[in-house]
Amino acid sequence: MDKQIKTKSKKTKKMLLWGIPILIIVSIILMNLTRKKQVNLKKDTISIREVFKGDFEDVVLFNSTVEPKTSVLVNVIQGGSVSEIFVESGQMIKKGTPLLKVYNPNAELNYLTQETAIVEQINNLRNIRVNIKNQQLSLDQQLLSIDNDFRNAKRQYKLDSTLYNKEVVARNDYQKSAQEYTFQKERSGVIKKSVSEEKKSRDVQLSRIDISIANMQKSLELLRKNKENFIVKAPVDGLLSSFNPILGESYNQGKPIGKMDVLDGYKLVASVDEYYISKLKEGIKGRVAVNAKNYDIEISKVLSEVVSGQFKVELLFKGDTIPKSIKRGMSLKTKVFLSNDSKALLISKGQFYQSTNGNWVFVLNSDNKAVKRTIKIGRENPFYYEVLEGLQEGDRIITSSYDDYENVEEINID
């Protein structure tokens, strides 16, 4: 009996000795699981900003470039190689001033062939017209002769009728005179009718020939005018820019070789981040500073094509407020207002946003500890984010990068 008790006592001690380490390990694991992950940082390695209430200016800032309000491309109308250059880029040019000349032997030969063919067709039609006129003249002469025969027969018939009634002329002579008169009368009527119908037909034919000749004359004038396209001329009055042709270089038909800047005003052109493509629309107002003076502007056009993450907008000065000191190519800081100013809870922009997308921040609850907190951010401008939820006025947050602390819950600040 005593032996059994001793055996049980040894087993119990052994179990107690094994159980103590297990409890310690479990406790350590539980402590590690419940302990928040922390990191220690020096205060001078982070940026801390305070949440405050203020006027939120819903704006977009970007640099815009001054360009002429109206520009006209100068295109090569007739393709060929440059044989002569008459002006230089940057000159003030009047409309119609020759800029350069191109040489294209194939096109010139083609023009010459077409011109010869048209001239030959015009000459052929004119010859046909002359023949028709001659035929008409011949018919008119025949008609006069027939009419003359009819008049003679009529006069003889009247004379013979008088003499026959006085029994001076024999019956046989009288009948011959009457028969000739009847024949000439019927002949004259038939021929006059035939000539009248033929004349109408010839008039229609002559009219069509005249129209054809006129059209061919227009084609010939257009062809000769097109031959002038070997010389490229200024399409409008203005400043010639981007004009850098090279002697001997070939240009295809329609190829732009420069621009004419019409000096009727200026516009601003800017490339804007695609983030704002749904926010910027025509008619939105803005402001630009020139020599420390502000000028009102307005978006006139939004080009929605996105290239390399950016799209273009064009802006015009409002009214007659165009500053006299601006010049083509100047870069101006431009501000566009998306909405009116409003009171809001604000935090300064910082690198933390790239790591959290504005979903959480580290908030200081004392001078030496910052705790992760979920927040909600609304609008933004180049300087501030609008806070909708999760923060109060006076809260201090870390605004520097969180890239290395995404799994950290607390930051100890030394």
Side-chain angles (χ1 to χ4, degrees):
M1 186 71 175
D2 292 337
K3 189 176 182 179
Q4 290 178 352
I5 292 171
K6 287 179 181 179
T7 303
K8 288 181 179 179
S9 178
K10 288 179 180 179
K11 289 181 179 179
T12 301
K13 288 179 181 179
K14 194 172 183 179
M15 290 176 66
L16 289 172
L17 289 172
W18 278 100
I20 290 171
I22 292 172
L23 289 172
I24 293 172
I25 293 170
V26 170
S27 298
I28 292 171
I29 292 173
L30 289 173
M31 287 176 65
N32 288 332
L33 290 173
T34 56
R35 181 183 294 171
K36 294 181 179 179
K37 189 172 181 180
Q38 300 180 352
V39 67
N40 296 323
L41 296 176
K42 295 289 185 181
K43 191 171 185 178
D44 58 3
T45 63
I46 59 176
S47 177
I48 299 173
R49 294 289 184 270
E50 187 173 314
V51 180
F52 66 98
K53 281 188 178 179
D55 290 328
F56 181 81
E57 194 177 37
D58 197 5
V59 299
V60 182
L61 295 179
F62 48 79
N63 287 327
S64 57
T65 304
V66 178
E67 292 187 5
K69 186 178 178 181
T70 306
S71 292
V72 179
L73 286 175
V74 179
N75 297 323
V76 175
I77 302 174
Q78 174 62 60
S81 59
V82 178
S83 60
E84 292 182 75
I85 300 173
F86 306 118
V87 295
E88 294 181 355
S89 186
Q91 288 184 307
M92 291 297 300
I93 303 295
K94 291 289 185 180
K95 181 179 179 180
T97 301
L99 306 179
L100 61 79
K101 183 178 180 180
V102 297
Y103 175 65
N104 188 330
N106 292 331
E108 289 187 5
L109 179 60
N110 184 47
Y111 280 135
L112 184 60
T113 303
Q114 290 183 52
E115 184 177 5
T116 303
I118 292 174
V119 170
E120 187 176 349
Q121 290 180 30
I122 290 174
N123 290 334
N124 290 337
L125 287 173
R126 283 175 174 169
N127 289 334
I128 293 172
R129 193 176 190 278
V130 170
N131 291 334
I132 293 174
K133 285 286 188 179
N134 289 336
Q135 291 174 9
Q136 183 66 45
L137 181 61
S138 177
L139 284 175
D140 289 341
Q141 290 174 347
Q142 292 179 24
L143 194 62
L144 287 173
S145 177
I146 292 168
D147 189 59
N148 184 62
D149 292 343
F150 169 69
R151 291 176 184 275
N152 289 334
K154 183 178 181 181
R155 185 173 60 256
Q156 187 64 42
Y157 169 70
K158 286 184 177 180
L159 179 61
D160 289 349
S161 296
T162 302
L163 295 174
Y164 175 73
N165 291 331
K166 293 181 179 181
E167 297 181 353
V168 175
V169 176
R171 180 180 179 85
N172 185 48
D173 292 336
Y174 165 73
Q175 288 178 342
K176 284 177 64 178
S177 179
Q179 184 178 353
E180 180 66 18
Y181 166 69
T182 303
F183 168 73
Q184 291 296 341
K185 182 179 180 180
E186 292 177 355
R187 179 190 178 204
S188 178
V190 170
I191 291 177
K192 281 184 177 180
K193 183 178 179 181
S194 175
V195 168
S196 176
E197 292 176 355
E198 189 170 348
K199 186 177 181 181
K200 289 180 181 179
S201 175
R202 291 179 189 279
D203 288 343
V204 172
Q205 193 174 2
L206 288 172
S207 175
R208 290 175 179 174
I209 289 174
D210 290 340
I211 292 173
S212 297
I213 291 174
N215 290 335
M216 287 184 182
Q217 290 283 11
K218 289 180 181 178
S219 298
L220 188 61
E221 290 174 9
L222 182 61
L223 183 66
R224 287 171 177 168
K225 187 176 180 180
N226 287 340
K227 288 174 68 177
E228 298 178 5
N229 292 335
F230 289 107
I231 297 177
V232 179
K233 299 179 181 179
V236 293
D237 294 347
L239 178 70
L240 180 63
S241 62
S242 305
F243 182 73
N244 299 296
I246 301 172
L247 284 173
E249 186 172 356
S250 294
Y251 292 93
N252 294 327
Q253 183 178 356
K255 177 77 174 179
I257 56 169
K259 287 195 302 183
M260 293 293 299
D261 297 333
V262 181
L263 303 182
D264 60 347
Y266 293 96
K267 65 182 177 182
L268 302 178
V269 180
S271 295
V272 186
D273 191 277
E274 63 180 322
Y275 171 80
Y276 297 101
I277 196 166
S278 61
K279 298 183 178 183
L280 296 184
K281 297 178 176 61
E282 294 180 9
I284 290 181
K285 307 294 188 295
R287 193 171 296 147
V288 65
V290 181
N291 295 331
K293 185 178 179 181
N294 290 324
Y295 293 88
D296 292 330
I297 56 174
E298 182 177 282
I299 294 179
S300 61
K301 186 183 294 185
V302 177
L303 307 175
S304 57
E305 181 184 7
V306 177
V307 179
S308 300
Q310 293 185 319
F311 67 100
K312 289 187 179 296
V313 295
E314 294 183 2
L315 308 100
L316 294 177
F317 290 92
K318 293 190 65 179
D320 298 325
T321 59
I322 300 177
K324 296 180 180 179
S325 59
I326 66 168
K327 294 182 179 179
R328 186 181 187 274
M330 286 181 63
S331 181
L332 302 175
K333 293 188 179 299
T334 306
K335 181 187 293 186
V336 171
F337 304 105
L338 300 180
S339 63
N340 296 326
D341 294 355
S342 59
K343 292 290 183 182
L345 198 62
L346 306 174
I347 55 174
S348 298
K349 279 197 164 183
Q351 295 180 345
F352 74 93
Y353 190 88
Q354 282 69 34
S355 305
T356 70
N357 202 27
N359 294 320
W360 55 272
V361 292
F362 283 111
V363 183
L364 277 71
N365 57 10
S366 66
D367 289 336
N368 59 0
K369 185 179 288 291
V371 179
K372 182 185 285 189
R373 184 186 300 179
T374 300
I375 66 169
K376 184 177 180 181
I377 285 178
R379 299 172 295 173
E380 65 174 282
N381 65 23
F383 311 105
Y384 302 108
Y385 293 112
E386 178 189 29
V387 181
L388 300 179
E389 296 177 7
L391 294 174
Q392 295 180 352
E393 185 179 9
D395 284 344
R396 294 182 300 156
I397 69 166
I398 298 174
T399 58
S400 47
S401 175
Y402 294 175
D403 286 347
D404 299 326
Y405 318 121
E406 291 186 14
N407 297 321
V408 174
E409 297 291 330
E410 295 180 352
I411 295 178
N412 296 316
I413 302 172
D414 296 334

